[in-house]
Amino acid sequence: MINVIKISGLDCANCARELEEEIEKKARVASVAVDFMAQKVTVDCDGEELANVKRICNSFEEVKVVEEQAVFGEKIKVEGLCCANCARELEEILNALDGVEACVDFMNSNITLTAADAGAREKAVYEITHFEDVKIVDGRPPKKSVFREKLYDILIIAIAAALFVPAIVLDLTGVGWESLAGKISVYALYGLAFLTAGHPVLINTVKNVAHGRIFDENFLMTVAAIGAMLLGIFAHDGFFEGVAVMILYQLGELLQSIAVGSSRSSISELMDLKAEWATVVENGVQRVISPDELKVGDIILIKAGEKAPVDCRVVSGTSSLDLKSLNGETLPKDVGEGDEILSGSINLSRALECEVVREYKNSAVAKILELVENSTAKKSKPEKFITKFAKYYTPAVCFAALAVAGIIPTVICAVRGDFLWATYSEWIYRALSFLVISCPCALVISVPLSYFGGIGRCAKFGILVKGSTCLDELSKCTIAAFDKTGTLTEGGFDVVAYSSERALRLAAAAEKFSSHAIAAAFEGIDAGFAASDVEEIAGMGVKCVVDGKTVLVGNAKLLRSEGVEFGEKDSVSTLVYVAEDGEYAGVIEIDDKLKPAAAEAVRELRAQGVEKCVMLTGDNAARAKVIADKVGLDGCFASLLPDEKLEKAESLKAEGKLLYVGDGINDAPVMTCADCAASMGKVGSDAAIEASDAVLVSDDLKLLPKARRIARGTRRIVFENIVGSLAVKFAVMGLGLGLAGFPLIVAVAADVGVMLAAVLNAMRTHLIK
């Protein structure tokens, strides 16, 4: 009986081979196949022996059988998730539940939830819907303008400011303190301004404390603002600073959300790549259907102004395409019969009839949308560091502030021998500044926002990156290895040289009727002759009649078998000999065509600090060396079997971080081994695309150095934000502790300022070229 066991933790092709051998040795099975790409074991055995196979899997390194647990996996769209720090807290709450794994994506406003059973899912949903203002929404929420989306926040800040300004005038001019009515007016205006601006923060603080979540930004700001107001009352100088702290904080939150919203909208533009419908043509009748319903071979009509719903090939018509959303190119691309169109391209002029070459689920747009949606799933080391840092940093700062407010003044008073309220008041005030500047939002939001922007920027050019980890690794690669066929070359045959024009035309006439792959090299060549009585001779070539003369087109073996005298040529290319009526007519050299951008891509990678570029191929050494020399590689390793490719990749990794670029099934193990792997989106196999970290949608190699440039720029921005934010925060903390009377409002302004600076700096990723 054939059984399929789903597993996890199998991280390399060599381990898969070892597990396969282990099962064969220790279990009574008719056959076994371990697929490390699909993470499954296919085994032919009876029901009783299946349990033994599972036991072997579970005891092999980090491998675990996962099929026995019913898993409910889904992506939940939410709204009301106000900041990245809150997203981190919600993720921790969900992951603390039994049987629940969750990844909260602040930028995309969704939660990837895996629950062991319906009960675990129900608990997770309860926590989501009871976390601050978070709500679950169906599908993508409708688009709103920034003004409409933030109207409530704008209103409460405006009303609070309208109350705050007259309170300041009455307070600072002294008019408000001349009578009881004036004092009541000052306190009333300050109090209303504080409640208007601060009620969302106060409500969230109460909710969070009730659920045991204390150390977050709402708690910090509540303590700081109320503390400042109480100090003002005791000092008889009003609520000024406490109210100002809350209003300025809310203003900063509003500006931050607008900046983040701008970044989100640039990413959400990618979601508009998908066409809403497709016009299929059947027996001359047009019918509108969903792109998901299209099948390979269907004929569709793409009218002027419409998006290509799937990847297709033009069968009739000529037009120009807008490809900005796919590859960032501003110039339109002219297409005609035989040209391939990627889904998401916009038809600018005349209608085109096209044949579907890939179903929607395998099309360029589907790949882009899927990878952008899941782009934050793989977190880079800086992201993981910041998440862990924020978890411990905020509570540590709170306890430090408590020590500043209580222990330091007590020690000072004990040394002096007097216990004065003024001393405690001064150090409590300093502790409040310490609390305000400690908010980790600038770090927690700017780091993932930077990576998200980098991934989105790559997607703009048709480079699909599978998460910030992949982007980070790409930026650090110093060794590059390339497959040959389909990666550095087009993967198809092309005429590279010929000895005579007549030989070329005769060959084109004969090969028109051949089914051999070499015949494709002669497509588009105007023969000027019509061939008849065509006979394809297996393993040799084609024999036919042209203008009443017998023509032979094929290898040297064909001409020798027919008694034609000729001199064999020595070449690394595939040679096609031509004879006419028993006389040698010439020779044509056929070779795999080099991709136009291959050499340029290698040059740019070197300029970016890639120290070594090599080729790993299964092709013969002579042909491989010619291509390697043309591209400008440091060397080539040819005639490699898949396992030999893997061994060579592992040895290259010992020299530095390895970037591997390939397209075939045999490249998948090497891609998994490499630190970062890129695959070809159009010609790449599903296995290669699945194993890779980045996908070049249009197969254009010049996108590779562009991707690395974006990756390096993104990593640089991430570290600017980490170092800059921490430097400002620690500097203000030091000033707050060291300078008597250091204004609390300066600490608030510094916190808001560094947060906005970090967010705006993160948005620079959208400008990297």
Side-chain angles (χ1 to χ4, degrees):
M1 182 187 296
I2 301 295
N3 299 277
V4 177
I5 305 171
K6 197 71 180 171
I7 57 175
S8 65
L10 192 63
D11 56 2
C12 76
N14 194 45
C15 296
R17 178 184 58 78
E18 290 176 2
L19 176 56
E20 204 169 273
E21 291 174 356
E22 190 87 354
I23 294 170
E24 287 175 340
K25 185 167 59 178
K26 295 183 177 180
R28 295 189 301 274
V29 298
S31 65
V32 60
V34 179
D35 185 345
F36 93 97
M37 288 301 302
Q39 294 281 291
K40 67 182 182 182
V41 178
T42 305
V43 59
D44 186 358
C45 65
D46 58 33
E48 291 181 6
E49 195 60 25
L50 183 62
N52 186 32
V53 174
K54 290 178 180 178
R55 181 188 57 76
I56 295 168
C57 292
N58 281 321
S59 61
F60 184 84
E61 296 185 1
E62 304 297 324
V63 173
K64 297 295 176 197
V65 173
V66 296
E67 65 164 5
E68 295 171 328
Q69 185 182 40
V71 174
F72 296 80
E74 60 184 318
K75 185 163 286 185
I76 299 173
K77 200 74 183 173
V78 296
E79 63 180 9
L81 198 58
C82 62
C83 76
N85 199 38
C86 298
R88 176 187 62 79
E89 291 174 8
L90 178 56
E91 183 172 294
E92 287 179 3
I93 292 166
L94 293 174
N95 285 320
L97 298 174
D98 289 337
V100 172
E101 287 184 16
C103 177
V104 180
D105 183 350
F106 170 64
M107 290 305 305
N108 280 317
S109 292
N110 60 43
I111 300 169
T112 303
L113 183 71
T114 303
D117 51 47
R121 183 189 183 280
E122 189 175 336
K123 290 178 184 176
V125 169
Y126 176 85
E127 290 293 345
I128 293 168
T129 53
H130 285 74
F131 183 85
E132 297 188 0
D133 298 321
V134 174
K135 295 182 180 65
I136 294 176
V137 295
D138 295 326
R140 287 168 58 199
K143 288 184 180 179
K144 298 179 183 176
S145 67
V146 172
F147 181 79
R148 282 183 61 198
E149 192 172 329
K150 298 299 173 186
L151 182 59
Y152 179 75
D153 296 329
I154 295 169
L155 282 175
I156 64 170
I157 292 172
I159 294 169
L163 294 166
F164 184 56
V165 171
I168 293 177
V169 173
L170 290 174
D171 183 1
L172 298 184
T173 58
V175 175
W177 306 111
E178 294 175 356
S179 64
L180 180 61
K183 291 178 182 178
I184 293 173
S185 298
V186 171
Y187 283 118
L189 287 170
Y190 274 142
L192 288 171
F194 178 80
L195 290 174
T196 302
H199 75 272
V201 177
L202 298 174
I203 291 170
N204 285 334
T205 300
V206 172
K207 280 183 182 179
N208 293 344
V209 170
H211 286 84
R213 301 189 296 269
I214 299 175
F215 301 113
D216 70 348
E217 61 174 349
N218 293 297
F219 176 78
L220 296 181
M221 294 312 304
T222 298
V223 171
I226 292 177
M229 291 174 69
L230 291 174
L231 286 176
I233 291 172
F234 287 123
H236 305 291
D237 60 2
F239 290 178
F240 168 74
E241 208 151 36
V243 180
V245 163
M246 191 58 77
I247 292 176
L248 191 55
Y249 169 73
Q250 289 289 57
L251 180 61
E253 287 291 290
L254 174 64
L255 294 175
Q256 170 197 296
S257 63
I258 290 172
V260 172
S262 172
S263 181
R264 273 183 176 152
S265 65
S266 69
I267 298 297
S268 65
E269 286 174 9
L270 293 170
M271 304 305 172
D272 294 330
L273 283 173
K274 182 180 179 181
E276 297 299 323
W277 67 84
T279 304
V280 65
V281 181
E282 297 172 338
N283 299 320
V285 178
Q286 296 180 19
R287 186 165 58 92
V288 175
I289 61 173
S290 168
D292 306 85
E293 297 177 48
L294 291 171
K295 299 288 187 292
V296 174
D298 284 350
I299 301 299
I300 59 174
L301 183 67
I302 307 174
K303 300 174 185 175
E306 290 184 349
K307 295 172 190 159
V310 292
D311 298 349
C312 52
R313 184 178 294 107
V314 179
V315 295
S316 175
T318 59
S319 187
S320 297
L321 301 178
D322 180 351
L323 301 176
K324 284 197 297 290
S325 297
L326 288 173
N327 59 16
E329 294 290 340
T330 54
L331 291 175
K333 177 186 177 183
D334 294 331
V335 292
E337 188 175 331
D339 291 331
E340 187 170 319
I341 298 176
L342 290 178
S343 52
S345 307
I346 300 173
N347 184 12
L348 295 177
S349 49
R350 292 179 287 275
L352 297 170
E353 272 198 8
C354 304
E355 180 186 1
V356 176
V357 295
R358 280 180 284 276
E359 293 182 3
Y360 174 75
K361 65 182 180 181
N362 297 320
S363 66
V365 160
K367 292 172 185 173
I368 290 173
L369 299 188
E370 181 184 356
L371 289 177
V372 170
E373 282 286 338
N374 297 321
S375 59
T376 57
K378 295 181 179 179
K379 293 184 178 178
S380 63
K381 287 182 180 178
E383 278 187 280
K384 290 175 182 175
F385 163 74
I386 288 301
T387 301
K388 195 168 185 179
F389 176 81
K391 183 179 180 180
Y392 298 106
Y393 163 79
T394 307
V397 167
C398 287
F399 287 119
L402 195 61
V404 169
I407 296 174
I408 293 179
T410 300
V411 171
I412 291 173
C413 289
V415 171
R416 290 196 314 214
D418 56 5
F419 289 87
L420 301 175
W421 164 246
T423 303
Y424 280 93
S425 174
E426 178 188 334
W427 283 98
I428 289 171
Y429 188 83
R430 294 187 186 190
L432 293 178
S433 295
F434 199 78
L435 273 182
V436 167
I437 196 61
S438 71
C439 183
C441 265
L443 291 168
V444 176
I445 193 173
S446 66
V447 172
L449 182 60
S450 301
Y451 281 116
F452 195 80
I455 291 167
R457 185 63 175 165
C458 284
K460 279 278 189 182
F461 294 104
I463 309 159
L464 310 184
V465 182
K466 300 180 182 180
S468 55
T469 301
C470 311
L471 205 64
D472 226 31
E473 290 297 323
L474 177 59
S475 71
K476 295 184 283 185
C477 287
T478 56
I479 309 291
F482 299 84
D483 176 44
K484 184 181 83 71
T485 307
T487 302
L488 292 173
T489 64
E490 297 285 3
F493 290 105
D494 195 33
V495 173
V496 293
Y498 51 91
S499 60
S500 74
E501 182 74 27
R502 183 168 181 81
L504 177 66
R505 293 170 65 194
L506 286 170
E511 294 286 1
K512 183 178 180 181
F513 297 93
S514 174
S515 59
H516 196 278
I518 286 178
F522 297 92
E523 289 180 3
I525 295 175
D526 183 14
F529 305 116
S532 60
D533 298 331
V534 179
E535 178 189 356
E536 191 155 8
I537 304 169
M540 295 191 192
V542 175
K543 185 176 184 180
C544 62
V545 175
V546 176
D547 287 347
K549 298 177 181 180
T550 300
V551 173
L552 303 173
V553 178
N555 56 26
K557 193 175 180 181
L558 174 64
L559 268 64
R560 281 198 298 269
S561 68
E562 296 289 331
V564 177
E565 294 184 4
F566 69 103
E568 288 193 49
K569 185 174 183 179
D570 184 22
S571 174
V572 296
S573 300
T574 299
L575 299 175
V576 176
Y577 295 94
V578 181
E580 186 176 14
D581 260 1
E583 296 292 327
Y584 175 65
V587 64
I588 301 157
E589 295 185 51
I590 307 292
D591 215 334
D592 197 355
K593 187 178 180 183
L594 186 68
K595 285 188 176 177
E600 181 187 348
V602 170
R603 281 196 301 272
E604 286 192 37
L605 286 173
R606 289 189 194 283
Q608 293 172 12
V610 176
E611 299 165 2
K612 185 175 182 180
C613 298
V614 299
M615 180 199 295
L616 305 181
T617 179
D619 204 351
N620 71 66
R623 189 174 287 121
K625 188 175 186 311
V626 170
I627 296 297
D629 290 342
K630 285 182 179 178
V631 175
L633 300 178
D634 295 307
C636 64
F637 303 91
S639 303
L640 298 176
L641 297 173
D643 58 331
E644 292 173 328
K645 260 191 178 185
L646 184 58
E647 287 175 12
K648 192 63 200 173
E650 287 171 344
S651 68
L652 287 170
K653 280 183 70 175
E655 301 177 37
K657 290 275 187 182
L658 175 64
L659 166 64
Y660 183 78
V661 191
D663 69 299
I665 292 175
N666 63 330
D667 291 317
V670 187
M671 287 179 163
T672 305
C673 162
D675 296 289
C676 183
S679 64
M680 305 291 111
K682 283 170 67 176
V683 301
S685 70
D686 289 342
I689 290 171
E690 182 66 28
S692 63
D693 301 300
V695 181
L696 308 181
V697 175
S698 61
D699 292 357
D700 189 349
L701 278 175
K702 72 182 179 185
L703 295 177
L704 195 62
K706 186 182 287 289
R708 192 167 185 275
R709 191 159 53 245
I710 294 170
R712 294 175 74 197
T714 301
R715 185 174 169 82
R716 184 172 59 251
I717 288 169
V718 165
F719 280 95
E720 285 172 0
N721 281 340
I722 291 174
V723 174
S725 298
L726 288 177
V728 172
K729 285 182 178 293
F730 287 138
V732 175
M733 283 181 187
L735 290 172
L737 290 176
L739 298 178
F742 184 78
L744 181 61
I745 199 164
V746 173
V748 178
D751 178 59
V752 172
V754 76
M755 178 175 61
L756 288 175
V759 168
L760 292 173
N761 192 42
M763 292 174 68
R764 285 175 50 228
T765 53
H766 300 295
L767 304 176
I768 302 173
K769 295 181 180 179

